[in-house]
Amino acid sequence: MCLVSLSKLLLLLTALKPSFQSTLPDKLVVAYQSWSECDDKVISAVQNGVNIVIWFAANLESSEDGSALMAGGPNRTCVEEKIGDLAQLGYGRDKVTHLISVGGWDASHPDTSNSAQEYFDAFEAFSDGLYNGLDWDLEGNDALTSQWNYFSKECLLLMGDLSQLLHDAGYIVSMAPPESYLDIQTTEFSKYVNLTYPSDDWKIDPPFSYHGHNTYALPLAMHPDAFDFINFQIYETKSHASYNTTILGTEQADYLVSYINMLLHTPLTVDFSTDEDFSSLGLQTIDIQDKIVVGFIAAGGIGGPITAANATKAYQQVEEMGEGNIRGWFYWCLADDGDGLLPGVLSSAF
């Protein structure tokens, strides 16, 4: 009895304490938890093919004494239990990576009065071996005049500097830009994310004013090796993906084939020359070809704005072209995939 209990304890400790350097599989199926979500849906999702779980969501802020603090996210005890349960089912750290996300829509941006090194220390204190790394999901705010519809110079520099520190320490780092925040179809850059898409002939009344212009390109340009993968949110409201498939009537799989090929074969080129803080960077070409993960909303297990079935079809068509392919898929979120079917469909592409 003691030997059995000891073996279970050792298994649990191994599951909770990742060994660095953390590594990733060749193909990724990434699932986001919803806000503070922690339940058995993560078990079925992993059993059906998810190999990266992103728990949601923490903030980088200052404590009462002004020191760097990482706070928020799901209940720690629950996360520990689910990671331990997965390990006992054969899905330990060698098979499943666990990240903690920072941000989310309407969430505050980091308090930049603290340094990247101080937030690195805060991350390690917060994680204490629980998470394999960090995912950036900083976005905008429903109130158009909110300060969080602007990514300050200090915020963007912090994102890059902290990501580099985490990467150098062996942690996994990812980012999840809405489609317009990292847009292969324009060279424009802006720190504002309360903009419109002027190029689309989409008569929206009132206009949708929550797009960005390659905001996430800045930390990528300054720290290209710090990010392990990029989750492209093609489900951003009024995205190019939605415009092409609903307004122009392009078949979903056909659009996704063209989009994937753009990401793979068109250099991500961003012009920083008009920005008052980063003009010295000029025109930058950023290599992302081995980091591309394309994402959908769960939409009840169907997927949107492109269904999981059509995504799989598109992936296989790109594969047949023999000129490379994306790293994988992600979806938001586990809570909206009621029957846990989405990861099985998405992982069947590989």
Side-chain angles (χ1 to χ4, degrees):
M1 184 68 174
C2 290
L3 290 175
V4 173
S5 298
L6 180 59
S7 65
K8 286 185 177 180
L9 177 61
L10 290 172
L11 182 63
L12 179 61
L13 289 174
T14 301
L16 296 180
K17 295 286 186 178
S19 58
F20 300 113
Q21 305 276 339
S22 286
T23 58
L24 293 173
D26 291 335
K27 294 298 180 183
L28 310 180
V29 180
V30 183
Y32 277 80
Q33 296 278 21
S34 188
W35 293 91
S36 299
E37 181 186 4
C38 180
D39 51 42
D40 284 340
K41 287 182 180 177
V42 71
I43 306 296
S44 58
V46 168
Q47 289 174 322
N48 288 333
V50 166
N51 52 21
I52 298 182
V53 178
I54 300 184
W55 302 84
F56 207 81
N59 292 311
L60 301 177
E61 53 194 49
S62 293
S63 63
E64 290 184 1
D65 64 5
S67 59
L69 179 69
M70 189 171 192
N75 178 274
R76 181 183 182 90
T77 301
C78 182
V79 176
E80 291 174 341
E81 289 175 352
K82 299 311 172 189
I83 293 177
D85 291 344
L86 285 168
Q88 292 189 42
L89 292 169
Y91 299 100
R93 294 280 180 174
D94 59 328
K95 299 220 172 49
V96 185
T97 297
H98 298 269
L99 307 181
I100 181 68
S101 190
V102 170
W105 187 258
D106 276 347
S108 59
H109 292 184
D111 181 343
T112 55
S113 63
N114 295 296
S115 69
Q117 181 61 57
E118 289 169 327
Y119 277 126
F120 173 86
D121 295 338
F123 167 82
E124 291 213 307
F126 175 88
S127 175
D128 191 25
L130 186 58
Y131 299 107
N132 296 84
L134 181 144
D135 169 73
W136 291 104
D137 194 29
L138 297 177
E139 297 178 341
N141 190 281
D142 280 328
L144 276 176
T145 58
S146 168
Q147 63 178 315
W148 308 129
N149 283 320
Y150 177 77
F151 281 67
S152 69
K153 169 187 174 181
E154 294 76 16
C155 176
L156 291 171
L157 291 175
L158 175 65
M159 289 174 68
D161 292 344
L162 177 55
S163 297
Q164 191 68 59
L165 290 172
L166 290 165
H167 170 80
D168 291 348
Y171 291 104
I172 300 297
V173 183
S174 63
M175 58 166 58
E179 184 200 69
S180 66
Y181 292 24
L182 198 62
D183 187 359
I184 195 72
Q185 301 177 68
T186 181
T187 62
E188 291 185 66
F189 171 77
S190 177
K191 298 193 289 289
Y192 288 94
V193 292
N194 54 0
L195 308 173
T196 60
Y197 271 161
S199 60
D200 287 345
D201 185 22
W202 196 343
K203 306 304 181 185
I204 307 169
D205 186 23
F208 182 78
S209 301
Y210 296 98
H211 289 307
H213 285 158
N214 283 314
T215 314
Y216 270 60
L218 192 282
L220 265 175
M222 299 190 73
H223 300 274
D225 298 326
F227 299 92
D228 294 279
F229 60 95
I230 303 166
N231 295 321
F232 287 85
Q233 292 185 38
I234 66 169
Y235 56 86
E236 179 186 21
T237 304
K238 307 302 181 184
S239 66
H240 292 314
S242 180
Y243 174 73
N244 277 267
T245 57
T246 62
I247 303 301
L248 298 184
T250 306
E251 292 291 332
Q252 290 185 8
D254 292 342
Y255 174 76
L256 190 54
V257 167
S258 67
Y259 180 68
I260 288 173
N261 278 322
M262 273 194 291
L263 291 175
L264 289 172
H265 306 302
T266 303
L268 176 62
T269 305
V270 181
D271 186 2
F272 297 97
S273 63
T274 60
D275 184 84
E276 62 181 357
D277 295 316
F278 300 112
S279 59
S280 62
L281 291 174
L283 193 67
Q284 293 282 324
T285 299
I286 306 167
D287 183 9
I288 61 168
Q289 278 66 33
D290 62 344
K291 306 177 189 293
I292 301 166
V293 177
V294 176
F296 317 94
I297 55 171
I302 297 171
I306 293 172
T307 68
N310 279 321
T312 299
K313 181 180 177 182
Y315 180 93
Q316 291 167 345
Q317 290 178 15
V318 173
E319 193 73 8
E320 290 169 3
M321 296 175 183
E323 298 178 352
N325 217 324
I326 60 173
R327 190 77 184 270
W329 312 112
F330 86 92
Y331 66 97
W332 172 273
C333 60
L334 285 172
D336 294 337
D337 182 21
D339 296 324
L341 301 178
L342 206 56
V345 178
L346 294 173
S347 60
S348 70
F350 312 137

